[in-house]
Amino acid sequence: MSHYLNRMAEDLVKAKLENYWSGFELVAYALYDKRNVYLFNHPKFSNNPQCTYHILSWDIQFTGDTIILYEEYPTAIVNMDSYEDYEDLYSIVVHELFHGYQYIKDEKRFPDEMMGITYPLSKENVELRNLERTNLYHALLENNIIKKKQYLNAFIALREKRAAWIEEYLTYEKLIETIEGPAWYVEIRAYSEKSPLDYHSVLKKYAQQLINKYESTSSIRSSCYGSGLFMCLLLEELSPGWLDGKFF
């Protein structure tokens, strides 16, 4: 994966990120493997214009794909060993960079993760939730505007019904959708740009956490990424100019 380092630096420029999300600003990012960390765009190491990235020895703070404060500056980190193809690596870096962008824009709509521990997996809630998500999926794929509105209305009605039962837990879902939906939105746009797959195939790949009933129930938190993504895609279709530099 190290041969992708210069390509990544060329691709991740402000003009490119602006195509994914209006106002998207680049924070620091680091690609790492078991031995080294390749750090880009960090203010502490930006005094050499001839050096695209700074090489560090790996240590424990570089674990997982996430955002960390490295030397007190938000830094997206991604494990290169987890991805075989450039489009996968690139799109995940864009995803984590968006969380860095949220950080510097002082995003505060984060969920109380303790809610996930006590989330009610009752038969009624799970069935309604899966039906809700199926309607959201079909609302995006449907071309007939009348049927599209029917799917959207069904989605809204089911969500309102669940809200009456599990109000604070639905708020937990909505907050995850608000934080992770846009991150997945920029990720899918980045992936589509680099992948040889057609858009329908890409959409099918990303829809699994939305429509797969086991995936949707086994991990409530990560399943909200898919619903947040599909809401963003519907807004893109139905409300042109919905971004305008603002968060979802």
Side-chain angles (χ1 to χ4, degrees):
M1 275 293 181
S2 60
H3 59 286
Y4 288 145
L5 294 173
N6 289 328
R7 181 180 177 185
M8 189 72 68
E10 292 172 2
D11 282 343
L12 289 174
V13 294
K14 182 174 176 56
K16 176 74 71 175
L17 296 180
E18 283 272 2
N19 290 333
Y20 304 145
W21 186 281
S22 179
F24 195 164
E25 297 177 28
L26 184 68
V27 297
Y29 59 100
L31 308 178
Y32 69 91
D33 54 27
K34 295 176 182 177
R35 297 179 58 189
N36 296 316
V37 175
Y38 305 92
L39 182 64
F40 299 76
N41 199 48
H42 196 288
K44 184 175 180 179
F45 304 98
S46 60
N47 57 350
N48 185 356
Q50 303 302 317
C51 183
T52 304
Y53 51 84
H54 187 81
I55 303 177
L56 309 167
S57 295
W58 180 87
D59 65 54
I60 193 64
Q61 64 184 313
F62 293 94
T63 301
D65 301 339
T66 188
I67 282 286
I68 63 171
L69 286 179
Y70 180 71
E71 298 289 344
E72 301 183 351
Y73 189 77
T75 304
I77 65 171
V78 174
N79 185 350
M80 290 191 294
D81 291 338
S82 298
Y83 305 96
E84 293 183 3
D85 299 318
Y86 181 74
E87 57 264 31
D88 292 308
L89 178 65
Y90 175 73
S91 60
I92 293 299
V93 173
V94 171
H95 177 122
E96 298 304 339
L97 280 169
F98 191 82
H99 287 315
Y101 172 55
Q102 289 172 320
Y103 180 90
I104 64 175
K105 290 300 181 181
D106 202 28
E107 174 63 80
K108 296 186 183 302
R109 293 171 293 178
F110 296 96
D112 177 2
E113 297 298 351
M114 292 300 294
M115 300 293 290
I117 298 174
T118 58
Y119 187 90
L121 290 172
S122 65
K123 181 175 182 292
E124 294 80 7
N125 182 40
V126 168
E127 288 180 348
L128 285 178
R129 188 172 186 267
N130 284 332
L131 186 56
E132 172 190 301
R133 294 161 71 81
T134 299
N135 277 280
L136 179 61
Y137 173 75
H138 287 300
L140 181 65
L141 269 62
E142 180 58 60
N143 293 320
N144 183 291
I145 190 62
I146 295 175
K147 291 182 179 179
K148 183 182 288 285
K149 288 181 179 179
Q150 289 173 343
Y151 283 125
L152 279 172
N153 288 336
F155 164 76
I156 293 168
L158 287 163
R159 177 153 286 204
E160 289 177 346
K161 187 173 183 178
R162 286 202 306 125
W165 292 354
I166 59 162
E167 183 175 359
E168 68 273 27
Y169 291 101
L170 190 57
T171 298
Y172 169 74
E173 291 183 47
K174 289 179 179 178
L175 289 172
I176 298 171
E177 289 168 344
T178 300
I179 295 297
E180 295 291 348
W184 260 39
Y185 173 77
V186 296
E187 178 186 327
I188 196 174
R189 295 190 69 179
Y191 184 86
S192 297
E193 182 183 77
K194 303 300 181 186
S195 174
L197 296 175
D198 61 82
Y199 184 68
H200 180 77
S201 298
V202 171
L203 201 60
K204 186 176 180 180
K205 166 185 165 73
Y206 276 82
Q208 290 309 301
Q209 282 186 304
L210 181 69
I211 60 175
N212 184 295
K213 292 182 180 180
Y214 176 78
E215 293 284 343
S216 292
T217 307
S218 61
S219 178
I220 296 298
R221 191 187 199 287
S222 62
S223 72
C224 291
Y225 298 8
S227 50
L229 166 63
F230 271 64
M231 289 179 199
C232 288
L233 293 172
L234 276 164
L235 282 169
E236 179 184 50
E237 177 184 344
L238 299 174
S239 182
W242 67 284
L243 292 176
D244 293 329
K246 300 175 183 178
F247 282 124
F248 174 53

